[in-house]
């Protein structure tokens, strides 16, 4: 009995090591998502292109779509942009949320790099960003046809992340909505 | 030298708090609550800083938001819920006690208890170990013999 008790510290040590080892794989900069499974927050904001007028959460309903948070000051958005163009060409609806940006430079950016967005919401003060819990651009939300957020990705969406995290869910939601 | 450093750091610490000192409130009682909230709320971008210490844009936005919510008359609890609904419980440096966090809250107690048991057990073993090493009755005689042998020799 006492002999066995001597192994307790070793067992505890191994257990703790395993726990910490698993923790190494986790990315500490990735926050748990508070809004997955919730309705996209309501908002009333003007479009980046003023001619498109005012936009609200109702404009997001009806079709499975990606909502991409972007800004011209965001370096990683530059890297992500070709992927968004590509997704748009594949027929994925992409909606832009231009976050705390300047209108003129944002428009120039889209002229220069191509505009994958069905429309861009112009959130100059970051109020919608705050309601979404945005803490860094780029961020990408997958919303279903009823306007519920189904997945969130903080950081660049590239080929690998699209395949691993979005593709299947997107196809499934697309099927459900038909 | 040490005093110089101390004075320097005291002088510089003013700058650290300078951002929060510029905030104006309609009701002076908000200031203390504001200070408490931004000390206990965590910056979502910078991992290990609170809103008071961080100068990142997101922290600035959230400090403004806390100020706005205070002016709107929300309680501390309501402000925390408001931000948790958006940024998840990550943002709380003092997480609520619920099924996800109870282990976090009780683990210090458990560790203290286990540690206490271990200490109690070992200290009792220590006592019994010294008892068992009492000198056998005939060893006195042997010792005397040996000592007298040495004196003789």
């Amino acid at each position: 009995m006492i002999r066995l008790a001597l192994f307790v510290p070793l067992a505890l040590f191994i257990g703790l090591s395993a726990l910490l080892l698993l923790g190494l794989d986790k990315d500490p900069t990735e926050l748990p998502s508070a809004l997955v499974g919730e309705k996209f927050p309501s908002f009333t904001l003007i479009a980046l292109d003023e001619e498109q007028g005012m936009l609200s959460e109702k404009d997001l309903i009806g079709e499975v779509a990606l909502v991409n948070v972007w800004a011209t000051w965001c370096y990683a958005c530059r890297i992500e942009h070709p992927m968004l163009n590509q997704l748009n060409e594949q027929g994925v609806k992409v909606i832009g949320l231009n976050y705390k940006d300047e209108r003129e430079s944002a428009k120039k950016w889209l002229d220069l790099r191509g505009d994958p967005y069905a429309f861009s919401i112009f959130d100059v003060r970051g109020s919608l960003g705050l309601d979404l819990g945005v803490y860094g651009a780029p961020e990408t939300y997958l919303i279903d046809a009823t306007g519920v957020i189904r997945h969130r990705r903080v950081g660049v969406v590239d080929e690998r992340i699209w395949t691993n995290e979005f593709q299947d869910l997107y196809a499934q939601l697309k099927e459900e909505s038909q | 030298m040490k005093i110089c450093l101390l004075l320097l750091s005291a002088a510089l610490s003013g700058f650290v708090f300078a951002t929060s000192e510029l905030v104006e409130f309609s009701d002076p009682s908000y200031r203390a609550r504001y200070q408490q909230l931004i000390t206990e709320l965590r910056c979502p971008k910078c991992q290990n800083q609170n809103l008071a210490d961080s100068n990142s844009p997101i922290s600035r936005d959230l400090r403004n938001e806390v100020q706005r919510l205070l002016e709107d008359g929300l309680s501390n609890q309501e402000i925390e819920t408001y931000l948790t609904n958006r940024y998840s419980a990550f943002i709380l440096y003092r997480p609520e006690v619920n099924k996800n966090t109870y282990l976090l809250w009780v683990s210090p107690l458990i560790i203290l208890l286990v540690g206490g048991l271990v200490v109690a057990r070992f200290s009792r073993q220590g006592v019994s170990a010294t008892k068992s090493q009492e000198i056998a009755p005939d060893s006195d005689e042997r010792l005397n013999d040996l000592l007298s042998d040495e004196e003789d020799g």
Side-chain angles (χ1 to χ4, degrees):
Chain A
M1 186 57 211
I2 291 172
R3 280 281 161 78
L4 274 179
L6 287 175
F7 287 97
V8 168
L10 182 68
L12 280 176
F13 172 74
I14 291 172
L16 189 65
S17 304
L19 190 76
L20 295 176
L21 196 66
L22 285 175
L24 279 183
D25 264 349
K26 285 192 173 171
D27 182 359
T29 61
E30 212 167 280
L31 266 60
S33 295
L35 268 96
V36 170
E38 304 282 328
K39 278 249 172 219
F40 197 88
S42 57
F43 66 92
T44 314
L45 289 167
I46 196 159
L48 177 64
D49 181 358
E50 301 101 312
E51 286 167 21
Q52 291 174 325
M54 297 303 281
L55 298 166
S56 78
E57 71 281 5
K58 294 191 187 75
D59 294 299
L60 308 183
I61 294 171
E63 204 180 329
V64 183
L66 292 178
V67 178
N68 177 248
V69 181
W70 66 283
T72 54
W73 47 259
C74 146
Y75 184 75
C77 298
R78 219 163 288 203
I79 298 161
E80 188 183 43
H81 206 79
M83 183 66 198
L84 297 173
N85 282 336
Q86 190 188 317
L87 286 170
N88 179 44
E89 278 162 28
Q90 288 170 17
V92 178
K93 186 180 183 186
V94 189
I95 295 162
L97 171 55
N98 184 242
Y99 176 63
K100 299 184 75 172
D101 209 351
E102 283 161 16
R103 179 169 257 141
E104 284 318 307
S105 39
K107 282 181 171 175
K108 248 183 237 158
W109 161 291
L110 292 181
D111 285 343
L112 192 70
R113 292 165 214 272
D115 185 354
Y117 306 114
F119 53 85
S120 271
I121 306 158
F122 186 58
D123 186 14
V124 67
R125 291 184 51 229
S127 57
L128 177 56
L130 195 120
D131 282 341
L132 275 169
V134 169
Y135 62 93
E139 287 192 21
T140 303
Y141 297 79
L142 176 58
I143 56 170
D144 66 19
T146 62
V148 172
I149 298 169
R150 302 299 291 265
H151 188 70
R152 176 200 199 183
R153 173 76 205 177
V154 177
V156 172
V157 173
D158 54 19
E159 198 78 54
R160 187 178 60 87
I161 286 172
W162 173 259
T163 316
N164 290 348
E165 291 185 19
F166 285 90
Q167 205 165 40
D168 292 348
L169 188 58
Y170 175 78
Q172 184 202 326
L173 293 175
K174 203 75 181 158
E175 205 165 297
E176 279 172 19
S177 70
Q178 272 156 13
Chain B
M1 183 61 195
K2 267 185 186 168
I3 291 171
C4 279
L5 276 176
L6 198 70
L7 284 175
L8 188 68
S9 54
L12 288 176
S13 66
F15 293 107
V16 177
F17 292 107
T19 44
S20 46
E21 245 136 51
L22 291 170
V23 183
E24 298 285 341
F25 292 96
S26 61
D27 182 336
S29 77
Y30 288 156
R31 186 172 299 279
R33 285 175 58 206
Y34 174 78
Q35 277 300 341
Q36 193 204 339
L37 279 165
I38 63 170
T39 316
E40 285 184 3
L41 289 168
R42 183 176 180 185
C43 160
K45 188 69 190 168
C46 24
Q47 297 299 307
N48 250 336
Q49 271 186 311
N50 56 22
L51 295 185
D53 284 344
S54 167
N55 254 333
S56 68
I58 184 76
S59 289
R60 214 179 310 135
D61 286 356
L62 289 178
R63 281 197 300 265
N64 290 338
E65 196 65 11
V66 169
Q67 184 194 2
R68 190 181 67 80
L69 295 171
L70 276 170
E71 295 284 356
D72 281 356
L74 269 68
S75 72
N76 288 15
Q77 182 66 46
E78 282 166 336
I79 292 172
E80 282 177 6
T81 312
Y82 179 93
L83 290 172
T84 314
N85 285 343
R86 286 159 178 76
Y87 289 92
S88 80
F90 178 93
I91 202 163
L92 301 176
Y93 260 130
R94 192 198 294 268
E96 284 170 35
V97 185
N98 59 32
K99 67 173 165 49
N100 290 327
T101 57
Y102 76 93
L103 196 63
L104 188 70
W105 281 100
V106 300
S107 57
L109 278 177
I110 295 175
I111 291 168
L112 191 70
L113 206 71
V114 171
L117 283 174
V118 168
V119 168
R121 178 153 185 176
F122 275 88
S123 59
R124 229 184 305 134
Q125 252 180 18
V127 171
S128 54
T130 41
K131 268 185 192 161
S132 69
Q133 278 177 2
E134 270 171 17
I135 301 168
D138 60 340
S139 48
D140 259 6
E141 274 171 48
R142 269 190 66 207
L143 184 65
N144 283 336
D145 279 354
L146 285 168
L147 283 172
S148 58
D149 275 359
E150 205 147 288
E151 274 165 26
D152 290 347

